[in-house]
Amino acid sequence: MKELKEKILKEGVAIGTQIVKVDHFLNHRLDIRFLDKIGAEFRRRFEGETVDKILTVEASGIAVACMTAAHFDFVPVVFAKKAMPNTMTEGFYEAEARSFTKGTVSKFRVSDRFISEGDRILIIDDFMAHGEASMALVNIVRQAGGTVVGIGAVIEKGFQGGSDKLRQAGCHVESLAIIDRIDDGKIMFR
């Protein structure tokens, strides 16, 4: 998505060779008009797919998932929780994901009331690096007996191999901007 690449170059900041900071429009301060364009692009990329629900991870994936849902006839958005809330007293699906950016392992949990057998799920997130978060969400959907119709990432760090791993697991992956490398503070796109 050309407009996204331009926005990353104009408003994003490369940190070292691994991190791209886009908090000015994507995951700290939100550019709602631009997020609507992102949602429309995901709709175009997954045209023809029947989507019952959109699944993401708290917190930074929620805004993108909600804006995407508006382009899929306002299907429900379900988000995996990273911490066990006191209110999750019934059954849930759970999968672990390592965050290489934060250096932590999280357990993602989704109440079994929100994903059902036969659900056709589109996974949406802001970033894809090693694919750990998306793979954990795929695992949760499969535990529930649902089908992953696709995985959409706003920004993919292609040099970290996440989408390759997900495609090998049989997933349809669409990334709106793929970064091949970061050199001397310069972001290079595929």
Side-chain angles (χ1 to χ4, degrees):
M1 184 176 170
K2 184 179 179 199
E3 190 176 354
L4 174 60
K5 291 177 183 177
E6 291 169 357
K7 198 162 183 73
I8 293 167
L9 292 175
K10 181 179 177 187
E11 299 178 29
V13 176
I15 300 172
T17 60
Q18 304 288 312
I19 297 171
V20 178
K21 184 176 172 181
V22 289
D23 61 352
H24 191 70
F25 67 91
L26 185 60
N27 52 22
H28 194 78
R29 174 185 175 265
L30 302 173
D31 182 334
I32 300 302
R33 191 175 310 279
F34 190 70
L35 289 180
D36 185 57
K37 291 177 183 181
I38 286 172
E41 181 63 15
F42 279 131
R43 176 65 180 156
R44 189 186 72 74
R45 300 256 184 131
F46 292 102
E47 189 67 40
E49 289 291 354
T50 300
V51 173
D52 299 316
K53 295 172 185 161
I54 293 177
L55 179 62
T56 192
V57 178
E58 67 177 356
S60 59
I62 295 172
V64 177
C66 289
M67 297 305 288
T68 301
H71 295 276
F72 282 90
D73 201 27
F74 295 95
V75 296
V77 171
V78 177
F79 60 91
K81 295 185 175 273
K82 293 180 185 175
M84 182 70 137
N86 294 343
T87 57
M88 196 175 278
T89 58
E90 299 167 4
F92 55 87
Y93 303 109
E94 178 180 81
E96 283 190 357
R98 175 176 299 283
S99 170
F100 289 89
T101 305
K102 295 177 183 170
T104 59
V105 175
S106 296
K107 288 188 179 188
F108 295 173
R109 295 177 182 93
V110 175
S111 171
D112 62 10
R113 296 178 300 134
F114 300 130
I115 300 180
S116 304
E117 186 174 348
D119 279 347
R120 297 180 56 78
I121 308 288
L122 175 61
I123 295 170
I124 295 289
D125 211 351
D126 59 342
F127 268 94
M128 179 181 298
H130 296 273
E132 295 287 322
S134 292
M135 191 57 85
L137 294 177
V138 168
N139 184 342
I140 286 171
V141 171
R142 290 179 177 166
Q143 287 176 49
T147 300
V148 175
V149 299
I151 299 169
V154 178
I155 301 169
E156 175 187 338
K157 293 189 275 181
F159 56 90
Q160 292 179 324
S163 66
D164 294 335
K165 185 179 359 177
L166 291 159
R167 285 186 183 97
Q168 288 171 0
C171 297
H172 171 192
V173 179
E174 292 286 341
S175 301
L176 304 187
I178 302 172
I179 297 171
D180 263 342
R181 67 185 189 282
I182 304 168
D183 291 329
D184 279 337
K186 289 191 154 213
I187 298 167
M188 311 300 270
F189 293 104
R190 186 167 298 169

